[in-house]
Structures are given as structure tokens and as C-alpha cells.
Amino acid sequence: MSTQEVLGSFILDELAKGRKGKISPQDDLLGEGIIDSLGILQLVAFIEERFNLAIADEDVVIENFQSVDALSTYVDNHLA
Amino acid sequence: MNEVIIIGGGPAGSVMGCYLSMAGIKNVLLEANNHPRAHVGESMVTSSTRVYEEIGFLPTMEKEGFVHKHGASWHDLNGKEAAIWFNEFHQEGINQPYTYHVDRSRLDLLLLKHAQSMGTEVIQGVTVRQVLFDEQGYANGVRAKIADQEIDLHSKLVIDASGRNTIIGRQLGTKKKDPIFNQYAVHAWFENVTRGTEETSEFIHIYFLPVERGWVWQIPINDHITSIGVVAEKEVFQQSKGDVTAYFDKYVHSNPALETAMADAVRINDFKTEGDYSYSMDKFVGDGYMLIGDAARFVDPIFSSGVSIALYSAKYGSQYIQKALEANDFSEAILKPYEVKMRAGVSVWYEFIRLYYKLLPLFTHFIQSKKYRIEVLRLLQGEVYDRQEVAVLAAMREYIETVEKTENHIFRSKLTSIPIDDLPGFSVEEVSKVEKPAA
């Protein structure tokens, strides 16, 4: 699965409880209330575990978590 | 002549009586009420167990059937829950993975009787009006009211265990309100509260409220009774304009998990209000006297540390009282190390509490992080008296600083206005200069 698919499924299955249907890569996760701040933390924990990646505290910014797209880009950039 | 007079028969006073009696020190305990009497502060942390064991009280705790508290659970405003189990970190000298929730009227009566059984002379229905001082400025007794009479009782040392009455603090003008916290609590007992899953129903549950520093406690008192308390800043409480029932209801409905838990709840006693409970005395010791438990300081009930601090203050305090009696020296100087030790411990709690209130999502994050979970748990178990041992506090503070500095940090808007600058008036270096009393 691509980074995008991994992230997308996790968010849909674990965090976006009650949301029907898919989450598009460009959907505004925070703006549309798909995830909340506690969800962000769970997402960070998931990414760190799943991708074996340490996310710097300063990187927990709106730009990086805006959408599944933005987040995948961030993750892919840091996997190298 | 009595060696020691203890003012107050709550947990601090009774446990002090026990330790002194165990050391062969003649002590009299004066209690204003006639127990049993109700009191707030119904949940404990696991470190209390060590003290109960030392004074031989643990079998009584077990026999009385107090509810076992195996952990704690936090509920945010979106219905998400984060929990910890005390058995995740083994504490030396403690052989049970739980502590207790209690009906204080029962616990306090049992502790008082226990002190009596160990040799403390317990006299109830006696109100201490003031502490007496000799010409050298040493505390040497109390003036007490027994029925209609006022009598003076003398001793070599006076211990203020008067709880939030803070007798000596008020008499000497050393009581200072906390500069940051000014919370009010409204609480009562309920039946038919839906407490949680099978695993967590006897935990303490904390529900966040949509007001700054607002939260609700859910403490199981026994099979059918649950204590529920709404805590918030004084300003928020004052908006209720005296309608306590409406205030309480409003906040019960403001957290979805709490609303569900309370859907069928029936209140079985009157609401009680507690306020002005965040304070500290400038001094915990003086010539001829010592302050223990709430009479010295109280911060905030969020981590159920109050009773534990009371018990440890009695334990450590008794060691210095013993020294004083052996040396026939009742000066502030010989008692001072007790104060240094207690302030170090309370300052750890204080910092933890402030950081907690500063950024709530941070707390659940640290609980869920593999790296810090155990350290947070250690704090919650009430283990720490030395700030240097607690890396997690530094980590929490760093995290908050990062959030503050980072422009678009997601948690920026979640920061509350609590200042987290260095703690006033106390340095960690002082702690290492204090000789450690016997464990």
C-alpha cells in the first residue's frame, strides 16, 4: 500500500468515527472536523510506529496535517 | 506533661499520632468534631499504601471493604478515553496493584481509632481556638474550647493538622492564596451512575469540561454510591449566581461521556461546595510547631494527591519531631529539613498540575507515548519527592515551549493561560543538602 493509502485507511477506520464514505486525499482534515486534536496525537503515534519515524514536535503543524496528501508528502520526505 | 499536642483528627493528625505513638512519644490529639463526619477527598494514590502498611492499618482498610482503585481514566470532550492501570509500574514495598476510594467519614473514623489504639490520647469535641507561645516565641500549647469552658493545654511541641482550617497559618498571618489556582468544587453522591466498562468501573474517571481548568470527578464510594464533583475556576462558578443545581447540571451535560454516565443518576445527598482551597503557608515549621497535611498547603484535587501528601507529611514530620525531642531542641532550625522535603514533593505535584492544565491534549499524549507513559504513571502513583528524578516534567515543559514557539502548531489554540515559568521561591539544590531521613 502506498503511504497515502496507509494513512487514509487509518484515519478513516480509527479516527473519523461516524464519517460515512471515503476521505479524499485533498479533504481538509481539521477544517472539516474529520479529526480532532486527540486524533492528531493518535495519528502521530501511528505514523511513528508504522513508519518507524520520529516526528519532531515542531512538525505537528497545520500545513503537514492539512490533508492526507500533505501528510503523505511529509512522511515520504522523512522516510529517506 | 504532654510532649506533643496534635490539632486535628483527619488523616494527617491521626497518622502523626500513630507514628509518634510507635516511637514511644506521648501525644494528645484534639479533634473538633465527633466522628464520623463527612469530608471531601475520596480517592487516593498508591503511595498511600506504604504508610498504611507501616502503621499496621492495611488489614483494616481491607476488612472495611473500601473500593479498590486499579487505575484512572480521562474522557475528553469528543468521547475519547485514555486510561492507565497502576499495575503497569511496580512500586517498591507495595504489594498490591491498587489503592482505594473511600467514604471519608468511615476512613477518618477508623484512622482516629487506630491512632487511639496505638497510644494516642484522642479527645473529640474540642475546638482549638489558638496556639499559645511563650516569651521566647516558642509554641508551647493551645487554648481549647471544651463544651463551655476554655482551657489551656501545654506541650513541648504543637502540630497543626487542622486541615483547611489552617489554624496556625491564619493566626500567624502566613497563609498565602495560590497565585494561579482559584478553583471551586461542587459535589454530591449519586446512585445509578453508569460507571464504565467492567474493567474500568472502579477507576477514578475524570471528564474534561469546555471551560478552562474545568473537569468532573467520578469516584465510586461503594457498590451503589458514586461521588461526582464539578471543578472549575471561581469565575465560572460565580456565573451560577447561587443556583448550584443548575450549574452542576449544565456541566454534567457538557461532556458526552459524562452525560451518558449520569443519564439515570439520582442524587442522594445535598450538594457541597468547596472553595478557596489553593494556598500555601509561608512556613511549615517554626519554634515549637509544625504544620502537616492541608494545614500546610493544598494545591488542587486533580491527581488525588491530597491524602497521600497528608500521610507522608505525618510520616516525615514524625521523624523530625523525634529528633527534636531527643535533642531537647524544639527550634525551627531542627525542624526545617521536614519543610524542605515536603516543599520539594509538593512542588513536583504543583509543576505537574500546572503543566497538565496548561495543555490538556498533552497529558493524554504523554500517557499514550511509550516513552513517557511509565514516568507519568510514577507521578500519578505519588512516588516522587525529588524533582531531579522526573524527566517527564522537563519533557512536558519542552513540548509546551515548542507549541508556544511554533506558529501553526496544531495545539497552539489549546494552550491555556497558566504561566509555566520557574516555580517561585524554591530551588532543587536545597533538596540535596537535606539529609535523607530513614525511609
Side-chain angles (χ1 to χ4, degrees), chain A residues 14-15 17 30 36-42 44 49 57-63 65, chain B residues 76 78 80-81 361-362 364-365 368 370 395 398-399 402 406-411 414:
Chain A
E14 298 296 326
L15 304 179
K17 298 232 166 77
L30 292 161
D36 59 21
S37 55
L38 196 59
I40 296 283
L41 291 171
Q42 284 176 254
V44 166
E49 174 103 25
D57 294 339
E58 307 87 75
D59 289 347
V60 183
V61 290
I62 295 172
E63 290 81 28
F65 286 76
Chain B
D76 75 357
N78 296 311
K80 296 228 180 72
E81 186 177 355
L362 173 69
T364 39
H365 173 48
Q368 288 165 339
K370 286 202 192 105
E398 245 181 75
Y399 193 98
T402 301
T406 307
E407 280 280 329
N408 283 325
H409 201 287
I410 287 175
F411 295 128
K414 302 281 177 195

Side-chain angles (χ1 to χ4, degrees), chain B residues 157-310:
Chain B
L157 281 163
V158 176
I159 298 177
D160 185 357
S162 62
R164 282 181 291 136
N165 284 314
T166 57
I167 280 186
I168 286 183
R170 282 186 296 119
Q171 181 174 331
L172 300 182
T174 57
K175 183 172 185 176
K176 297 292 181 319
K177 284 168 55 108
D178 190 273
I180 298 172
F181 293 103
N182 194 10
Q183 313 256 80
Y184 265 61
V186 175
H187 60 105
W189 281 0
F190 293 80
E191 287 186 338
N192 293 330
V193 174
T194 309
R195 293 176 182 175
T197 65
E198 177 132 352
E199 244 196 313
T200 66
S201 66
E202 296 188 337
F203 278 20
I204 185 170
H205 288 256
I206 306 284
Y207 300 89
F208 296 168
L209 294 181
V211 284
E212 192 161 316
R213 297 178 235 166
W215 55 280
V216 176
W217 77 65
Q218 172 188 303
I219 296 172
I221 300 297
N222 60 33
D223 272 351
H224 50 281
I225 297 175
T226 308
S227 171
I228 305 281
V230 173
V231 180
E233 267 286 304
K234 184 173 182 173
E235 282 143 19
V236 174
F237 174 71
Q238 282 171 332
Q239 287 161 21
S240 70
K241 300 207 202 316
D243 189 345
V244 165
T245 307
Y247 170 81
F248 192 90
D249 271 348
K250 174 178 175 185
Y251 287 107
V252 161
H253 289 291
S254 68
N255 177 300
L258 178 59
E259 189 172 35
T260 304
M262 295 288 285
D264 298 326
V266 173
R267 183 161 55 85
I268 62 167
N269 65 3
D270 290 335
F271 281 117
K272 292 188 195 65
T273 305
E274 322 276 346
D276 298 321
Y277 57 68
S278 304
Y279 56 77
S280 178
M281 306 309 135
D282 284 340
K283 294 164 52 152
F284 292 172
V285 297
D287 294 327
Y289 70 83
M290 173 185 281
L291 277 40
I292 62 175
D294 285 3
R297 181 174 190 174
F298 189 75
V299 182
D300 186 273
I302 184 69
F303 293 127
S304 302
S305 49
V307 170
S308 169
I309 291 174

Side-chain angles (χ1 to χ4, degrees), chain B residues 3-4 17-27 118-119 322 325:
Chain B
E3 293 182 291
V4 180
C18 291
Y19 277 111
L20 292 180
S21 296
M22 281 159 64
I25 295 168
K26 201 160 164 348
N27 62 98
M118 304 206 83
Q322 239 184 296
L325 287 162

Side-chain angles (χ1 to χ4, degrees), chain B residues 358-376:
Chain B
K358 182 72 182 174
L359 182 56
L360 281 183
L362 173 69
F363 186 71
T364 39
H365 173 48
F366 273 81
I367 289 211
Q368 288 165 339
S369 96
K370 286 202 192 105
K371 190 170 166 206
Y372 291 114
R373 185 182 176 84
I374 291 294
E375 285 197 55
V376 173

